[in-house]
Amino acid sequence: MIILVPLLGLALGMVLARLLPWEIPLVWVRYSPLVILVLLDAVVDGLRALRQKELVLAGFWVSFLTRAAGAVFLVYLGDLMGVDLFTAVAVVFSLRLFGSLSRMGRELFKKKPF
């Protein structure tokens, strides 16, 4: 039953995205891949915590929002200084994402004693 709520939210979001004419402003285009990467990282961490029965929904949202704000702020600060920090931030969150995925895989396929 708990998996039904996110799936319904995903379906509703997809329907609204198709019906409402909304475009990402050009100023935000540079930052949207980072937010998507941070979202994937947060979702994988949330799935891992849910599997371990340690998920706190408020903590999930705070974690996602602070990571997203931090990533966007670092890239924006780099743009102001004339330094391209986008690649560095993307690499960091990609490493976090793949680390979380590998940790989940190890926990999922861990051999249990008879």
Side-chain angles (χ1 to χ4, degrees):
M1 185 65 175
I2 194 168
I3 195 74
L4 196 58
V5 174
L7 290 177
L8 287 174
L10 179 65
L12 180 66
M14 290 171 64
V15 167
L16 286 176
R18 294 296 296 165
L19 293 177
L20 298 175
W22 189 76
E23 293 181 9
I24 298 175
L26 287 177
V27 176
W28 296 356
V29 168
R30 179 161 169 80
Y31 306 107
S32 57
L34 283 179
V35 174
I36 292 169
L37 193 59
V38 171
L39 178 64
L40 287 173
D41 178 46
V43 166
V44 168
D45 271 351
L47 287 173
R48 184 189 51 79
L50 181 66
R51 180 158 163 65
Q52 294 176 347
K53 297 181 180 23
E54 298 174 352
L55 179 66
V56 177
L57 201 53
F60 169 79
W61 285 110
V62 168
S63 170
F64 165 65
L65 292 174
T66 54
R67 289 177 193 173
V72 168
F73 178 70
L74 281 175
V75 173
Y76 176 71
L77 194 62
D79 288 345
L80 289 179
M81 294 187 307
V83 178
D84 186 21
L85 292 179
F86 179 87
T87 306
V89 173
V91 166
V92 166
F93 279 103
S94 296
L95 289 174
R96 283 184 46 86
L97 176 66
F98 288 117
S100 295
L101 282 172
S102 68
R103 202 169 330 133
M104 260 181 50
R106 280 193 302 270
E107 291 170 5
L108 188 63
F109 297 114
K110 186 175 9 177
K111 289 186 179 180
K112 295 180 182 176
F114 293 104

